[in-house]
């Protein structure tokens, strides 16, 4: 048995892991609001939710995201499962905490052969992702994404639809930021030539690139355009533009995306340097960025990935999608004072045990009707009860004391307008229910 004496000598306090955060009430309401808006907007575009595992085989990510990306090279939480057979040198299956959602969604789509039933699938997901990066503002090791994937369509209309969905989503939150940047990465027809041009350009400046970019220059020269080292940003300032080397099909695809955005009045800027941090992208890529969050500027990002389904052993089915960082989004909501306050419908303040006992069953009946009610837990002064109601962001307070009880009425105070009203106890339940309905 643990005695009080033992507790005093207890070992060091256990803390959370660096880069992993708890989300407490007070903040979680904003998350719930964001998630509810996402579900509403995504449904309007006929996207359905898919729930995929958090743990996958390591190979899924190395094969899809790309061996030479930062994520696969150094950021994944990977471990060996305990399924190794007894014997010398036997290894268990390598498993990885998902660093992103697209690979898992495509794996599920291929594994369940969803394309045989209906090749066009519009799917969305939300949940935690894991990358072992340097934790800082807007950059966590466990972070959360809301993402969507449209599989089975290669046309530019669906690229535009995805961008409109994001536009509507940000608008539904009342945000004026982030802003949209788009680019085209070309396809297997036109990218090789661009890659060769870029490689030649980089080779001339190799000495000024960071060690990481130098190392992967031959295997993946495009990565240098995505590198955040000042030396690399400077060295690639005048790099050849992807947009100048697009083949006719890619150029037309990209022109249509831009035309559709114009016709639907969605503002965007072209950013020919945007290559994104994952290798599977082609044609349209995009980022929604804001200047309000410092260097962690990307709130949502994505693009087209026509080769990915095939790369994960499925048929040649095109796809396009995005992922949005919920931590960055909620930070932006706070900065733009768009955070939904949450709060409670009603707070019951009582003076004296008979008033409490009268209020208790009513509290229950109101809660059963979906009205958010809290009732004071201790006998305290009215002033301190009002302070508590304020703290809980109650929209209204019902005040019931011995005097009121004797007169058969209660006082209902609207916390926003500060107006008070006396209501007879016989009508109280109806009046409070009506308040909620309005
Ligand atoms: P960045 O350039 O900021 O590193 P990224 O290119 O790695 O972002 P993606 O992999 O495309 O980002 O993920 C999409 C979104 O997920 C980002 O725009 C961002 O909002 C969010 N995100 C990515 N990594 C993190 C992280 N470590 N912590 C918090 N949010 C993140
Ligand atoms: Mg990153």
């Amino acid at each position: 048995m643990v005695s009080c004496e033992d507790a005093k000598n207890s070992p060091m306090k256990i803390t959370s892991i660096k880069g992993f955060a708890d989300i407490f009430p007070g903040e979680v309401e904003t998350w719930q609001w964001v998630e509810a808006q996402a579900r509403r907007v995504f449904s309007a575009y006929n996207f359905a939710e898919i729930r995929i595992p958090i743990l996958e085989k390591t190979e899924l990510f190395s094969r899809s995201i790309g061996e030479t990306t930062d994520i696969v090279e150094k950021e994944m939480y990977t471990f060996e499962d305990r399924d190794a057979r007894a014997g010398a040198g036997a290894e268990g299956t390598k498993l990885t905490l998902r660093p992103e959602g697209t690979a898992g969604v495509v794996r599920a789509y291929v594994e369940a052969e969803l394309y045989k039933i209906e090749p066009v699938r519009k799917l969305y997901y939300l949940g935690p992702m894991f990358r072992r990066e340097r934790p800082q503002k807007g950059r966590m090791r466990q972070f959360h994404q809301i993402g969507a994937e449209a599989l089975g369509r290669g046309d530019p209309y669906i690229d535009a639809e995805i961008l409109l969905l994001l536009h509507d989503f940000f608008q539904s939150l009342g945000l004026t930021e982030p802003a949209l940047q788009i680019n085209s990465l070309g396809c297997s027809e036109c990218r090789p030539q661009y890659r060769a041009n870029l490689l030649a350009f980089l080779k001339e400046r190799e000495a000024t690139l960071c060690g990481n970019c130098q190392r992967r220059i031959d295997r993946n020269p495009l990565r240098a355009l995505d590198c955040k080292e000042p030396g690399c940003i400077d060295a690639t300032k005048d790099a050849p533009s992807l947009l100048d080397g697009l083949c006719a099909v890619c150029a037309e695809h990209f022109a249509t995306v831009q035309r559709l955005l114009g016709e639907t009045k969605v503002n965007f800027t072209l950013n020919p340097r945007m290559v994104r941090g994952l290798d599977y992208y082609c044609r349209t890529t995009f980022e929604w960025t804001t200047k309000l969050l410092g260097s962690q500027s990307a709130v949502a990002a994505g693009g087209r990935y026509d080769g990915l389904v095939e790369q994960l052993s499925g048929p040649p089915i095109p796809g396009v999608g995005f992922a949005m960082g919920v931590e960055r989004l909620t930070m932006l909501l706070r900065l733009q004072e768009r955070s939904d306050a949450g709060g409670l419908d009603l707070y019951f303040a009582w003076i004296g045990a008979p008033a409490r006992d009268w209020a208790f069953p009513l509290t229950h009946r109101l809660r059963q009707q979906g009205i958010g009610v809290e009732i004071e837990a201790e006998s305290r002064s009215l002033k301190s009860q009002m302070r508590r109601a304020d703290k809980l962001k109650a929209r209204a307070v019902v005040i019931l004391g011995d005097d009121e009880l004797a007169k058969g009425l209660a006082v209902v105070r609207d916390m926003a307008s500060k107006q008070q009203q006396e209501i007879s106890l016989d009508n109280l339940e109806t009046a409070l229910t009506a308040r909620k309905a309005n």
Side-chain angles (χ1 to χ4, degrees), residues 70-71 75 131 133 139 226 228 277 328:
D70 284 349
I71 295 178
E75 294 173 358
R131 297 183 195 173
E133 305 189 74
R139 198 172 288 289
D226 190 46
K228 290 174 180 112
R328 292 184 196 177

Side-chain angles (χ1 to χ4, degrees), residues 91-146:
E91 282 186 9
T93 311
K94 275 194 164 169
L95 304 179
T96 295
L97 285 173
R98 62 181 189 193
E100 57 107 50
T102 305
V105 171
V106 173
R107 196 250 331 118
Y109 174 83
V110 171
E111 193 173 346
E113 299 186 327
L114 292 186
Y115 49 85
K116 284 198 175 156
I117 311 158
E118 164 62 58
V120 179
R121 286 287 168 143
K122 292 159 120 182
L123 303 167
Y124 78 89
Y125 58 86
L126 34 93
M129 306 293 160
F130 305 84
R131 297 183 195 173
R132 202 175 191 290
E133 305 189 74
R134 191 168 70 79
Q136 52 196 290
K137 196 173 135 229
R139 198 172 288 289
M140 303 291 293
R141 288 181 171 176
Q142 174 175 322
F143 60 99
H144 297 76
Q145 287 186 337
I146 300 178

Side-chain angles (χ1 to χ4, degrees), residues 286-352:
F286 55 85
E287 279 186 4
W288 294 78
T289 61
T290 172
K291 291 192 185 72
L292 301 176
L293 298 179
S295 53
Q296 271 53 260
S297 59
V299 177
R304 179 159 280 288
Y305 46 82
D306 291 348
L308 185 59
V309 179
E310 210 172 359
Q311 221 169 308
L312 293 175
S313 313
I317 287 177
V320 55
F322 71 86
M324 172 163 57
V326 184
E327 280 78 3
R328 292 184 196 177
L329 187 65
T330 55
M331 277 163 66
L332 196 58
L333 286 166
R334 250 194 317 278
L335 286 170
Q336 298 214 326
E337 294 177 350
R338 288 292 315 157
S339 179
D340 191 25
L344 202 61
D345 294 317
L346 208 64
Y347 185 81
F348 238 114
W350 50 267
I351 312 275

Side-chain angles (χ1 to χ4, degrees), residues 232-288:
C232 296
I233 293 175
D234 199 47
T236 56
K237 238 186 4 245
D238 302 314
S241 166
L242 266 159
L243 294 180
D244 295 335
L246 295 180
C247 65
V249 184
C250 286
E252 198 194 325
H253 184 104
F254 196 45
T256 307
V257 173
Q258 293 178 67
R259 175 174 62 79
L260 295 172
L261 292 177
E263 283 166 6
T264 47
K265 305 207 170 17
V266 172
N267 293 330
F268 64 90
T269 51
L270 288 180
N271 177 0
R273 289 181 56 94
M274 188 210 305
V275 295
R276 309 285 309 111
L278 301 89
D279 274 354
Y280 49 60
Y281 288 118
C282 65
R283 292 208 171 133
T284 318
T285 54
F286 55 85
E287 279 186 4
W288 294 78

